[in-house]
Amino acid sequence: MAAEGDHWVFYFDPNRCIGCHACTVSCKQYHDRESGADDWRTVTHHEKGTFPDVSEVPISMSCMHCHDAPCEKVCPTNAIEKRESDGIVTIDREKCIGCKYCGWACPFGAPTYGDEGLMSKCNMCIGQGPGSGADADPAPKHEQDGIGAVQPNCVSDCVGDAIKAGPQSEVIQEASQAAANRFKSNNGRVIVEPFEDSTAAVDGTNDVITPFNAGD
Ligand code: SF4
Ligand code: SF4
Ligand code: SF4
């Protein structure tokens, strides 16, 4: 079993994101999914502050490949696997029966129903096509090219350089201490930088926005 530090995680910086949705489009195009299918990566827009001092905060999120993977625990057919080798959580289309249990168990609504009546979600771009399972053919891109050598498409196509992905031990070194601390306290899900609200910064009352409180 790979060490936890070798497990892949996402990093997101709302200060760099310009809310362009290129990551969402890139994901859907690369995986050749119907334009009307639910997105595996979504960008939502949130307002912070009180008029006229209002800031818009875009949040780009996908499956977080959770350390504890609640979706895996409820799947009755063991179609969902958190891979020991790299921590990527996959759905095996051969085993999925489309019961939606994983969608209900996921705190973030990451698994989507559709794609031929089965569940699917972000698979960190291993293999090709929706819901590629652990035995994806071709092999996971970063296994072909070496860990860290190839980035997922949403990362490569991000206009603002706001998303990163890679082994936890590498990604966390590039994060701020605040982001690293929160990552440790949220079950190792996703590393998110605090939002630096330029208005609030004047009086030192910066809000910390995360995927978990963005809608507050
Ligand atoms: S974000 Fe949801 S679908 Fe992804 S690993 Fe966590 S519980 Fe599973
Ligand atoms: S890593 Fe790949 S599958 Fe996951 S959201 Fe990004 S582009 Fe989509
Ligand atoms: S592509 Fe990058 S900058 Fe554009 S919405 Fe997605 S995360 Fe934000």
Side-chain angles (χ1 to χ4, degrees):
M1 182 190 296
E4 192 179 315
D6 292 332
H7 280 192
W8 275 50
V9 295
F10 278 120
Y11 164 101
F12 176 68
D13 186 347
N15 306 290
R16 289 175 171 268
C17 177
I18 60 171
C20 65
H21 295 238
C23 48
T24 303
V25 174
S26 166
C27 177
K28 194 164 263 175
Q29 283 185 336
Y30 175 78
H31 292 283
D32 197 22
R33 303 182 64 230
E34 298 286 331
S35 58
D38 288 343
D39 293 315
W40 291 350
R41 176 168 285 280
T42 57
V43 180
T44 51
H45 299 261
H46 306 270
E47 274 190 4
K48 275 291 182 187
T50 309
F51 182 83
D53 297 324
V54 177
S55 302
E56 184 191 289
V57 188
I59 302 282
S60 171
M61 280 296 136
S62 69
C63 167
M64 303 180 190
H65 302 274
C66 306
H67 189 58
D68 56 348
C71 56
E72 181 188 41
K73 294 183 175 68
V74 300
C75 179
T77 64
N78 295 322
I80 301 188
E81 176 192 14
K82 183 167 177 69
R83 294 160 36 113
E84 290 186 354
S85 56
D86 52 21
I88 294 174
V89 176
T90 60
I91 300 178
D92 186 336
R93 290 174 68 77
E94 297 297 315
K95 293 182 181 173
C96 178
I97 56 173
C99 67
K100 304 183 187 174
Y101 282 10
C102 54
W104 293 326
C106 172
F108 316 106
T112 66
Y113 179 72
D115 291 326
E116 299 161 4
L118 305 177
M119 302 302 284
S120 66
K121 64 171 191 63
C122 161
N123 57 12
M124 283 262 191
C125 287
I126 64 168
Q128 305 283 331
S132 299
D135 299 323
D137 181 19
K141 291 167 73 179
H142 52 272
E143 285 185 9
Q144 292 172 19
D145 301 324
I147 290 285
V150 173
Q151 287 293 310
N153 289 274
C154 57
V155 174
S156 304
D157 289 347
C158 173
V159 175
D161 200 20
I163 318 172
K164 293 175 186 165
Q168 177 182 319
S169 57
E170 292 178 18
V171 177
I172 209 155
Q173 281 184 13
E174 299 177 33
S176 69
Q177 192 60 50
N181 289 345
R182 199 165 53 229
F183 176 71
K184 285 177 191 151
S185 64
N186 73 14
N187 280 335
R189 286 182 165 144
V190 58
I191 302 171
V192 182
E193 292 296 341
F195 177 61
E196 295 166 8
D197 184 329
S198 58
T199 306
V202 173
D203 61 9
T205 56
N206 265 12
D207 276 330
V208 174
I209 293 187
T210 76
F212 319 113
N213 71 4
D216 292 352

